[in-house]
């Protein structure tokens, strides 16, 4: 693999990463487990919906001609032949002057051509009902196929399976569907200073928050996080953790990618001949390793070594990893929605990088405003928590002044 030591722009880095990613394989998934995944084939309906004509109201199925003259003062009395609940077959034939009591969803008996809602009737005897207002032919009858006709397309290829789609597919009885497989993403942390949650703090040690951040980011996208472990700052430790990810779709680590003497991740990749680039013109998130983990002559797993600072990890994931996972999932739109917002604080860009500033958004009238969500250091996690989006200061702009408009990438 080519080793690009020069600093890359965000766009160059992203297109390089995306060029190595292809959508996952197709699987037949149980319907419920397919929520959030992308259909890999056209899905057609095996039946029509409604499958049989049925009542849209609780009321009385009658012949519309019989009740044309009905008024509240001169109601029409209809003889009741039966009661039709939802879910029961009926072989009753309605003839002139007769009808059935019917529940919502009940099958319309032969001969009846409308349903009079209960509200337009009053009880007479148990064998008769008084109809106080006429209804039109066809009123309150749901026709077979008015929602879906058997054989038509329910879901196009490359469509996200939303809860509404699940509702439709369940209604036609499809319990499993073809989708693009959920990516399995290996996650590891590097750093001698890291502690697990159950360990006690001692001076200089920190809890491994990036592991949790990355696991939850991956999970929230609908991919499967796979914990690979925590590596010490030694080539041997890093290399053995990376090997655990060989059969996954993507491996992510955090830490060990900048220029300190213990930042050894890039060296491990370079030694194996699998390092591509390791520096990007963005803030936060400048040091970043991209490469692959090879496990035989033909196959390899894409690998991204994210920076250790917690906000750098979050932002680099957002900008460079999220689109890659979406591509694996078969999603065609990899972009977040953006807005133009009026800045309530300056954004500085002293060294020609693309700056992603954490901002909270408000709207007054038709204008969005972006206020700094707090201190912008790459270790300040609390200001990311308060951020609705990332305001972008382009590479060639040294200062985006308060009062000017900036593009904001929405996170929520
Ligand atoms: P590094 O790139 O390894 O030098 O790390 C940069 C900064 O990020 C250091 O302050 C690290 O302690 C911190 N850091 C590295 N890994 C993690 C992690 N997994 N969780 C929280 N902070 C981390
Ligand atoms: Mg480190």
């Amino acid at each position: 693999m080519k080793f690009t030591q020069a600093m890359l722009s965000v766009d160059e880095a992203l297109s390089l990463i995306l060029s190595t990613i292809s959508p996952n394989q197709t699987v037949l998934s149980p319907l419920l487990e397919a929520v959030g995944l992308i259909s890999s084939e056209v899905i057609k309906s095996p039946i029509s919906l409604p499958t049989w004509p049925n009542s849209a109201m609780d009321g009385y199925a009658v012949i519309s001609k019989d009740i044309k003259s009905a008024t509240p003062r001169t109601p029409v009395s209809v003889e009741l032949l039966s009661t039709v609940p939802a879910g029961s077959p009926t072989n009753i034939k309605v003839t002139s002057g007769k009808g059935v009591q019917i529940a919502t969803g009940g099958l319309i008996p032969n001969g009846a051509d409308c349903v009079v809602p209960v509200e337009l009737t009053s009880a007479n005897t148990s064998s008769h009902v008084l109809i106080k207002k006429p209804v039109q032919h066809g009123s309150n009858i749901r026709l077979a196929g008015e929602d879906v006709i058997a054989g038509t397309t329910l879901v196009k290829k490359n469509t996200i399976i939303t809860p509404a789609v699940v509702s439709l597919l369940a209604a036609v009885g499809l319990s499993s569907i073809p989708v693009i497989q959920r990516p399995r993403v290996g996650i590891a942390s590097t750093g001698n200073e890291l502690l697990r949650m159950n360990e006690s703090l001692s001076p200089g040690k920190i809890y491994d928050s990036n592991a949790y951040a990355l696991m939850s980011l991956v999970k929230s996208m609908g991919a499967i996080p796979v914990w690979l472990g925590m590596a010490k700052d030694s080539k041997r430790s890093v290399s053995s953790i990376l090997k655990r990810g060989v059969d996954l779709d993507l491996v992510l680590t955090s830490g060990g990618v900048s220029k300190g003497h213990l930042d050894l991740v890039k060296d491990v990749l370079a030694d194996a001949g699998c390092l591509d680039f390791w520096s990007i013109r963005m803030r936060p998130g400048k040091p970043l390793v991209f490469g692959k983990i090879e496990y035989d002559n033909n196959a390899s797993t894409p690998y991204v070594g994210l920076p250790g600072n917690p906000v750098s990890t979050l932002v680099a994931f957002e900008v460079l990893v999220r689109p890659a996972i979406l591509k694996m999932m078969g999603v065609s739109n990899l972009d977040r929605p953006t807005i133009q917002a009026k800045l309530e604080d300056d954004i500085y860009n002293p060294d020609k990088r693309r700056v992603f500033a954490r901002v909270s958004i408000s709207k007054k009238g038709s204008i969005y405003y972006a206020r700094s969500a707090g201190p912008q250091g790459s270790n300040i996690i609390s200001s990311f928590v308060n951020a609705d989006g990332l305001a972008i200061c382009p590479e060639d702009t040294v200062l985006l002044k308060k009062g000017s408009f900036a593009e904001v990438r929405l996170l929520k």
Side-chain angles (χ1 to χ4, degrees), residues 18 57 68 78 80 120 127 130 170 174 220 232 254 309 378:
L18 291 177
M57 304 287 278
K68 268 194 171 147
V78 169
L80 295 177
L120 303 184
S127 63
L130 292 177
L174 288 175
S220 70
K232 293 286 175 201
S254 67
N309 277 306
S378 57

Side-chain angles (χ1 to χ4, degrees), residues 327-347:
K327 188 172 177 191
M328 273 179 195
M329 295 175 81
V331 175
S332 38
N333 179 10
L334 308 181
D335 299 327
R336 290 276 205 187
T338 60
I339 55 169
Q340 292 293 320
K342 200 168 188 173
L343 295 176
E344 295 187 300
D345 297 283
D346 293 341
I347 302 177

Side-chain angles (χ1 to χ4, degrees), residues 182-362:
R182 238 174 249 285
R184 298 176 70 226
V185 181
I187 291 157
S189 303
T190 73
N192 294 337
E193 73 278 33
L194 301 181
L195 295 178
R196 290 180 187 81
M197 287 293 181
N198 57 357
E199 294 177 310
S200 311
L201 276 179
S202 54
K205 299 284 189 190
I206 58 169
Y207 288 116
D208 176 6
S209 63
N210 289 346
Y212 282 81
L214 292 172
M215 302 274 278
S216 62
L217 283 165
V218 166
K219 200 171 168 189
S220 70
M221 291 184 64
I224 303 170
V226 179
W227 176 236
L228 302 178
M230 216 184 252
K232 293 286 175 201
D233 288 316
S234 76
K235 283 196 194 178
R236 188 157 28 148
S237 180
V238 170
S239 157
S240 82
I241 290 270
L242 291 187
K243 280 198 186 111
R244 294 182 192 164
V246 290
D247 57 352
L248 302 175
D249 297 309
L250 173 68
V251 170
L252 306 174
T253 61
S254 67
V257 294
S258 42
K259 297 197 171 153
H261 65 289
L262 286 179
D263 292 330
L264 300 168
V265 170
K266 59 185 176 303
D267 301 321
V268 172
L269 273 275
D271 288 352
C274 301
L275 177 70
D276 197 352
F277 61 78
W278 63 279
S279 203
I280 300 175
R281 274 199 299 277
M282 64 186 277
R283 178 195 300 271
K286 175 172 146 191
L288 187 136
V289 169
F290 177 65
K292 58 188 173 174
I293 302 170
E294 291 188 316
Y295 53 98
D296 62 36
N297 291 336
N298 304 316
S300 65
T301 304
Y303 163 75
V304 183
L306 296 158
N309 277 306
V311 176
S312 306
T313 288
L314 289 166
V315 173
F317 182 97
E318 164 64 28
V319 174
L320 298 163
V321 179
R322 183 178 175 276
I325 294 177
L326 289 176
K327 188 172 177 191
M328 273 179 195
M329 295 175 81
V331 175
S332 38
N333 179 10
L334 308 181
D335 299 327
R336 290 276 205 187
T338 60
I339 55 169
Q340 292 293 320
K342 200 168 188 173
L343 295 176
E344 295 187 300
D345 297 283
D346 293 341
I347 302 177
Y348 292 98
N349 182 12
D351 54 1
K352 292 188 180 296
R353 298 196 229 165
R354 187 176 299 178
V355 177
F356 294 91
R358 285 148 266 170
V359 292
S360 38
I361 300 292
S362 58

